[in-house]
C-alpha cells in the first residue's frame, strides 16, 4: 500500500508525548509500556480472502483454543468490517524467547482433524485465506524479500523488503494442500530511556511472522509441551487430505529483537507497502492536468459570457442579437419548475448530506484523528456523521422544494429522509442475507442491524424533518427573472446534446482527477490493504469539486444556448457522469485485478460497487447542480430583461 503521510509520525509522537503528562488519549492510540516477562497478548481478528470477499472468524477453523474464549467488544465499524477479535492460546512474554512450543497439547498427543474439519481447512487454503493476528493492537505481517534488479553481481543486489498483511493459512503444490501449522513470531521492541534506578520498559513496535508447514513425523515433542524443529530442509510439509482424518501439531516459536523504531512510527511499516514515486507522480500529474483544463474552461466561459452580456445590454441592436443567440431567449422558462420536484430536492438533500459527511471525515482523517490503530473508527465516524448531517440535507432540500413551488413539505421531508438511505439499506439487507447463508463474520448481526435502524429513524429522520421545516419556512431562492405562463417550444437538438453523450463528456474530467486514488481505495477495500493517504485524498476531493462545478457550468451553458431550458434534471444527471466511469473502472478492476469466480463473492462485489456508484453520482450530481444553479441565476441577473 502507498506511503503514510509525512505528518502521521509527528501526530502520533505528539500523542505519545501527551501520554507522559497524563493527558487524555484517543482510544487505541495510547502506548502500552511492558516490563521484562510481562505477558503480551496475541489476539486473532479474522480470516480474509480477496478471492471470496467473505471474512470468517478465527475459530471457524479448528485452531487450538484457550480454556476460556473471550471476544472483544467491537465498535460499529469493526462489526461492519467483519472483525471478531478474540483471545488465543499463544503465550508470549516480553523479551522472552521461546524455541518451540506445542499448542493444545494433551499428554503429548497430536491434534486430530475430522474429515469434515479437514475438508473445511483444505477449502479455505485453496481459496487463499489469510489469518490476521494482533499483538498490542499491531497487526501481524509477513516479510517478503524481493530482488528488483537482475543485472550485476548478486552480492550487490539490494533486497526490496515489503510486507503483506496477515499470513497465508497454507499453500497448494501439485494439487496437494498443505497447512502452515508452525508460526515463528518475530516481535520487535523499543527500549524506553529512563532515569537511573528505574526498571526498563519496552514497547512493541513491529509484529512479524514466518509461517511454516512441518509434518507430524518431523516434529519431536516432550511432555513439557516443548518441541524441536527439524534442521535445515530435511522436513516435509504438513499435508491436509480432505478425504480422511489428519493428525498434526500446532506449534509456535517467539523471537524478540531490539529496534530503533519509536512507538510513534511503528505503523510506517504497514503504511509503506508500494512504490511511492508512482503515486506521487500520478497525483501531481492529475493535479496539473485538471488545473490546466479547468483554467482553459474558465477562460472560455468568462470571455464568451462577457461578450454575450455586453451584446444583450446594447439597446440599439437588441433585436439582432435576440435572433443570433440562444440563452437569453429562454429567460422566461429557465426557472420553470421541473417534473417531480419532490424527488429532485430529496436526492439533492441526500447529496448535501453525503458531501458534508465526506468532507468532514476526510478532513478529520487528514489531521491523523482516524488512525488505522483505532480499528473501525473511520466507518463508525462516517455512519454517525451521515446521521447528524441530516439537518443540513433536510434544510437544503426544504428550501429548494419551496423554490420549485412545492407545498407538501411533510411528504418531502419523509422522502428526503428515506429515499437514498432506504435504497442503501435494502441493497445491504439483501447482500447480508447471502453473507448469512455463508456463515461469514461479515454478516451484520441482527442487534447491530436493529441499532442502525434505530439510528436512522431515531436520529437521522427527526434531524431531516427539523432541517426541512426550517428550510421550507425560509425565503425561497430569489430567481432574477419571472417565468412565463406558456412554455416555450424547444427546437430540435443536435446529436451531441443527447443526455448520454453529455454524461460521457462531463464525466471524463472529474474521473481523470481521481482515478489513480480510486485504484488505492479499491485495493484497500477489496484486497485488505491499509489506506491512509487522506492528505492526497483531501486534495483530490477539492479538485473533484472544482472540476465537477466547472464542467457542470459549461454543460448548462451549452444547453441554454441550444434553447433547451429543461436543465434541472439533465444537469443533475450529467454532472454525475463521472460515476459512469467509476462503474466502468470497477468492472475493469474486477476482471483484471481480482480472482473472483464464485457467484456470491461476485454478487457482493457488484452490490457494494452499485452503492459506491450511486453515492458518487449523488455527490458529484449535487456539486454540479448547485454550481450550475448559481451560474444560471448569476448570468440572468446580469442582463436587462424587457
Amino acid at each position: 500500500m502507498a506511503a503514510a503521510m509525512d505528518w502521521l509520525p509527528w501526530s502520533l509522537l505528539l500523542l505519545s508525548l501527551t501520554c507522559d503528562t497524563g493527558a487524555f488519549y484517543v482510544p487505541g492510540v495510547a502506548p502500552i509500556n511492558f516490563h521484562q516477562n510481562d505477558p503480551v497478548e496475541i489476539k486473532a481478528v479474522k480470516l480474509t480472502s480477496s478471492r471470496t470477499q467473505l471474512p470468517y472468524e478465527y475459530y471457524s477453523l479448528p485452531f487450538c483454543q484457550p480454556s476460556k474464549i473471550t471476544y472483544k467488544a467491537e465498535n460499529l465499524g469493526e462489526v461492519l468490517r467483519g472483525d471478531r477479535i478474540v483471545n488465543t492460546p499463544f503465550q508470549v512474554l516480553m523479551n522472552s524467547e521461546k524455541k518451540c512450543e506445542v499448542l493444545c497439547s494433551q499428554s503429548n498427543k497430536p491434534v486430530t482433524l475430522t474429515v469434515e474439519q479437514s475438508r473445511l481447512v483444505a477449502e479455505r487454503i485453496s481459496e487463499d485465506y489469510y489469518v490476521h493476528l494482533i499483538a498490542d493492537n499491531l497487526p501481524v505481517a509477513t516479510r517478503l524479500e524481493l530482488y528488483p534488479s537482475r543485472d550485476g553481481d548478486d552480492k550487490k543486489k539490494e533486497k526490496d523488503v515489503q510486507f503483506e498483511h496477515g499470513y497465508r493459512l497454507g499453500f497448494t503444490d501439485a494439487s496437494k494442500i498443505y497447512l502452515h501449522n508452525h508460526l515463528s513470531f518475530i516481535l520487535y521492541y523499543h527500549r524506553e530511556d529512563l532515569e537511573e534506578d528505574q526498571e526498563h520498559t519496552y514497547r512493541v513496535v513491529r509484529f512479524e511472522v514466518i509461517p511454516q508447514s512441518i509434518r507430524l513425523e518431523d516434529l519431536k515433542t516432550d511432555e513439557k509441551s516443548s518441541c524441536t524443529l527439524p534442521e535445515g530442509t530435511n522436513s516435509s510439509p504438513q499435508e491436509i487430505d480432505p478425504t480422511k482424518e489428519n493428525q498434526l501439531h500446532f506449534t509456535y516459536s517467539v523471537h524478540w529483537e531490539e529496534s530503533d523504531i519509536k512507538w510513534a512510527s511503528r505503523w510506517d511499516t504497514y503504511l509503506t507497502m508500494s512504490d511511492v514515486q508512482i503515486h506521487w507522480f500520478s497525483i501531481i500529474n492529475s493535479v496539473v492536468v485538471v488545473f490546466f483544463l479547468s483554467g482553459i474552461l474558465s477562460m472560455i466561459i468568462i470571455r464568451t459570457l462577457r461578450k454575450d452580456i455586453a451584446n444583450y445590454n446594447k439597446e440599439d441592436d437588441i433585436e439582432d442579437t435576440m435572433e443570433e443567440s440562444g440563452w437569453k431567449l429562454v429567460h422566461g422558462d429557465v426557472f420553470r419548475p421541473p417534473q417531480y420536484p419532490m424527488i429532485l430536492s430529496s436526492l439533492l438533500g441526500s447529496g448535501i448530506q453525503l458531501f458534508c459527511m465526506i468532507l468532514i471525515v476526510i478532513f478529520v482523517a487528514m489531521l491523523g484523528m482516524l488512525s488505522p490503530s483505532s480499528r473501525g473508527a473511520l466507518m463508525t465516524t462516517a455512519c454517525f456523521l451521515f446521521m447528524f448531517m441530516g439537518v443540513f440535507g433536510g434544510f437544503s432540500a426544504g428550501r429548494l422544494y419551496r423554490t420549485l413551488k412545492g407545498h407538501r413539505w411533510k411528504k418531502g421531508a419523509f422522502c428526503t429522509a428515506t429515499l437514498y438511505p432506504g435504497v442503501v439499506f435494502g441493497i445491504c439487507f439483501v447482500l447480508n442475507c447471502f453473507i448469512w447463508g455463508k456463515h461469514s463474520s461479515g454478516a451484520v448481526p441482527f442487534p447491530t442491524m436493529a441499532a442502525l435502524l434505530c439510528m436512522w429513524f431515531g436520529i437521522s429522520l427527526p434531524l431531516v424533518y427539523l432541517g426541512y421545516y426550517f428550510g421550507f419556512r425560509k425565503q425561497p431562492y430569489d430567481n432574477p427573472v419571472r417565468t412565463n405562463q406558456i412554455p416555450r417550444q424547444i427546437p430540435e437538438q443536435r446529436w451531441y446534446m443527447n443526455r448520454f453523450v453529455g454524461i460521457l463528456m462531463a464525466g471524463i474530467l472529474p474521473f481523470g482527477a481521481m482515478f489513480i486514488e480510486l485504484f488505492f481505495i479499491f485495493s484497500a477495500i477489496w484486497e485488505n490493504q491499509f489506506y491512509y493517504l487522506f492528505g492526497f485524498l483531501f486534495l483530490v476531493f477539492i479538485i473533484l469539486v472544482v472540476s465537477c462545478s466547472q464542467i457542470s457550468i459549461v454543460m448548462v451553458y451549452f444547453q441554454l444556448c441550444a434553447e433547451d431550458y429543461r436543465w434541472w434534471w439533465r444537469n443533475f444527471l450529467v454532472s454525475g457522469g463521472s460515476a459512469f466511469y467509476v462503474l466502468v473502472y470497477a468492472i475493469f478492476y474486477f476482471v483484471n485485478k481480482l480472482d473472483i469466480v464464485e457467484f456470491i463473492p461476485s454478487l457482493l462485489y457488484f452490490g457494494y460497487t452499485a452503492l459506491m456508484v450511486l453515492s458518487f453520482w449523488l455527490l458529484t450530481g449535487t456539486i454540479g447542480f448547485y454550481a450550475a444553479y448559481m451560474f444560471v441565476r448569476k448570468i440572468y441577473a446580469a442582463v436587462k430583461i424587457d
Side-chain angles (χ1 to χ4, degrees):
M1 195 51 211
M5 292 182 296
D6 291 340
W7 56 79
L8 173 63
W10 297 106
S11 62
L12 291 175
L13 180 61
L14 183 63
L15 286 167
S16 65
L17 289 173
T18 55
C19 173
D20 297 330
T21 60
F24 174 73
Y25 269 111
V26 179
V29 183
I32 298 176
N33 293 321
F34 295 92
H35 295 286
Q36 180 75 29
N37 294 327
D38 277 357
V40 179
E41 193 172 8
I42 307 292
K43 294 182 179 180
V45 181
K46 58 183 173 182
L47 311 171
T48 62
S49 168
S50 59
R51 287 186 62 185
T52 67
Q53 299 298 330
L54 292 167
Y56 288 95
E57 63 173 279
Y58 183 70
Y59 291 123
S60 63
L61 291 182
F63 291 117
C64 294
Q65 299 182 2
S67 55
K68 182 182 178 183
I69 295 178
T70 307
Y71 285 90
K72 171 186 170 290
E74 286 100 2
N75 59 39
L76 178 62
E78 287 174 322
V79 173
L80 296 178
R81 280 161 40 100
D83 293 358
R84 300 292 183 270
I85 300 176
V86 64
N87 61 328
T88 62
F90 297 108
Q91 300 291 325
V92 178
L93 303 178
M94 171 54 72
N95 203 15
S96 177
E97 303 273 329
K98 281 191 179 179
K99 295 292 184 185
C100 180
E101 191 152 321
V102 182
L103 283 173
C104 48
S105 61
Q106 296 177 347
S107 302
N108 207 17
K109 291 181 180 178
V111 177
T112 302
L113 302 184
T114 64
V115 177
E116 186 178 344
Q117 289 174 332
S118 299
R119 190 184 302 118
L120 183 62
V121 170
E123 183 183 335
R124 294 284 183 266
I125 292 172
S126 61
E127 290 171 340
D128 288 338
Y129 266 86
Y130 282 74
V131 183
H132 297 273
L133 306 174
I134 54 173
D136 187 27
N137 203 33
L138 207 57
V140 74
T142 307
R143 180 189 291 259
L144 302 176
E145 295 183 349
L146 307 173
Y147 293 89
S149 175
R150 295 185 179 180
D151 301 328
D153 189 8
D154 288 348
K155 295 180 181 178
K156 295 181 180 179
K157 287 182 182 178
E158 290 187 3
K159 291 185 290 187
D160 182 15
V161 178
Q162 293 187 4
F163 294 89
E164 63 180 5
H165 306 300
Y167 69 89
R168 289 180 182 270
L169 180 61
F171 61 96
T172 56
D173 185 22
S175 73
K176 289 186 177 181
I177 298 171
Y178 302 98
L179 173 69
H180 284 140
N181 60 325
H182 177 80
L183 301 179
S184 298
F185 293 131
I186 305 172
L187 291 103
Y188 294 78
Y189 64 86
H190 179 75
R191 193 193 301 262
E192 295 301 303
D193 296 328
L194 296 174
E195 298 176 4
E196 293 183 9
D197 302 329
Q198 281 189 318
E199 188 180 353
H200 278 291
T201 58
Y202 308 90
R203 290 177 180 175
V204 179
V205 293
R206 187 184 293 177
F207 182 26
E208 294 179 18
V209 66
I210 301 174
Q212 292 172 267
S213 183
I214 304 171
R215 69 177 179 177
L216 180 66
E217 292 78 11
D218 293 336
L219 272 171
K220 298 176 183 177
T221 61
D222 58 29
E223 294 181 357
K224 295 181 181 179
S225 298
S226 297
C227 53
T228 305
L229 296 175
E231 295 181 1
T233 57
N234 299 330
S235 67
S236 300
Q238 174 65 53
E239 184 182 352
I240 300 294
D241 190 340
T243 61
K244 65 177 185 180
E245 290 186 349
N246 292 272
Q247 289 192 325
L248 69 152
H249 279 301
F250 285 105
T251 59
Y252 71 103
S253 60
V254 180
H255 174 62
W256 288 91
E257 287 187 20
E258 188 168 2
S259 172
D260 293 331
I261 299 172
K262 294 198 174 180
W263 185 90
S265 306
R266 67 178 191 161
W267 275 88
D268 291 2
T269 303
Y270 304 89
L271 301 175
T272 55
M273 293 199 176
S274 66
D275 194 344
V276 184
Q277 291 181 341
I278 293 174
H279 194 79
W280 268 107
F281 176 77
S282 303
I283 290 290
I284 293 171
N285 185 52
S286 296
V287 170
V288 170
V289 169
V290 167
F291 274 124
F292 179 69
L293 292 176
S294 298
I296 292 176
L297 290 173
S298 303
M299 286 173 60
I300 292 172
I301 284 291
I302 291 169
R303 289 187 64 183
T304 309
L305 270 177
R306 280 181 177 170
K307 187 177 178 183
D308 285 349
I309 292 169
N311 287 335
Y312 286 149
N313 289 338
K314 287 180 183 177
E315 295 182 1
D316 52 349
D317 56 348
I318 187 79
E319 294 180 2
D320 297 335
T321 56
M322 290 283 277
E323 291 175 6
E324 293 172 8
S325 321
W327 63 265
K328 189 184 175 184
L329 292 178
V330 294
H331 69 84
D333 299 276
V334 71
F335 294 110
R336 187 178 301 282
Q339 287 183 306
Y340 314 114
M342 184 184 292
I343 297 176
L344 178 64
S345 59
S346 298
L347 291 173
L348 288 165
S350 296
I352 291 290
Q353 210 171 336
L354 270 174
F355 176 81
C356 295
M357 180 265 286
I358 291 172
L359 182 67
I360 295 173
V361 165
I362 295 176
F363 183 74
V364 169
M366 182 184 72
L367 298 178
M369 296 182 189
L370 297 177
S371 163
S373 59
S374 304
R375 297 176 186 281
L378 186 71
M379 200 170 289
T380 306
T381 306
C383 287
F384 276 96
L385 269 176
F386 183 79
M387 301 293 175
F388 286 107
M389 292 301 109
V391 67
F392 298 107
F395 181 86
S396 58
R399 191 174 184 195
L400 182 64
Y401 183 56
R402 184 172 182 187
T403 305
L404 299 179
K405 307 293 191 290
H407 301 290
R408 297 174 295 174
W409 75 269
K410 292 179 182 176
K411 189 175 179 181
F414 183 78
C415 187
T416 304
T418 56
L419 185 59
Y420 169 69
V423 171
V424 172
F425 184 82
I427 293 176
C428 288
F429 182 78
V430 171
L431 295 177
N432 205 51
C433 291
F434 284 100
I435 303 173
W436 260 333
K438 284 285 190 178
H439 306 289
S440 167
S441 66
V444 179
F446 182 76
T448 306
M449 198 170 289
L452 286 170
L453 281 172
C454 290
M455 286 170 59
W456 179 11
F457 289 105
I459 299 176
S460 184
L461 190 94
L463 286 176
V464 169
Y465 263 90
L466 181 69
Y468 209 98
Y469 173 74
F470 284 105
F472 193 77
R473 286 187 59 188
K474 193 171 176 63
Q475 188 73 18
Y477 293 110
D478 184 26
N479 296 327
V481 291
R482 290 193 302 271
T483 302
N484 295 338
Q485 291 184 346
I486 302 172
R488 178 186 177 86
Q489 186 176 359
I490 298 171
E492 186 178 349
Q493 300 294 303
R494 295 181 179 272
W495 65 270
Y496 52 79
M497 295 305 294
N498 180 276
R499 188 171 294 173
F500 186 69
V501 176
I503 287 173
L504 291 179
M505 290 194 298
I508 191 70
L509 182 61
F511 178 75
M514 54 157 288
F515 84 97
I516 294 295
E517 211 63 32
L518 197 64
F519 169 76
F520 289 95
I521 293 172
F522 269 53
S523 298
I525 295 173
W526 302 115
E527 298 187 54
N528 296 303
Q529 302 289 330
F530 283 113
Y531 185 86
Y532 203 71
L533 295 168
F534 293 106
F536 287 129
L537 191 61
F538 186 75
L539 179 63
V540 167
F541 184 72
I542 298 300
I543 294 168
L544 181 70
V545 171
V546 172
S547 56
C548 276
S549 303
Q550 294 192 337
I551 284 292
S552 172
I553 289 169
V554 170
M555 298 304 288
V556 78
Y557 176 74
F558 286 149
Q559 184 181 349
L560 295 177
C561 285
E563 299 177 28
D564 183 358
Y565 55 82
R566 300 169 302 183
W567 64 274
W568 302 88
W569 273 106
R570 177 189 164 91
N571 188 263
F572 181 48
L573 292 170
V574 166
S575 298
S578 49
F580 172 76
Y581 289 97
V582 173
L583 176 61
V584 172
Y585 181 78
I587 296 171
F588 167 81
Y589 191 89
F590 178 82
V591 173
N592 289 280
K593 298 290 184 182
L594 297 178
D595 188 21
I596 296 177
V597 289
E598 295 181 22
F599 170 70
I600 290 182
S602 304
L603 182 70
L604 291 177
Y605 179 85
F606 285 106
Y608 290 131
T609 296
L611 288 180
M612 288 174 59
V613 169
L614 172 66
S615 303
F616 193 71
W617 168 63
L618 272 182
L619 175 69
T620 52
T622 301
I623 293 167
F625 175 86
Y626 276 101
Y629 190 30
M630 290 168 61
F631 170 76
V632 170
R633 289 170 59 202
K634 197 81 173 172
I635 62 172
Y636 282 98
V639 294
K640 289 184 284 188
I641 305 295
D642 294 336

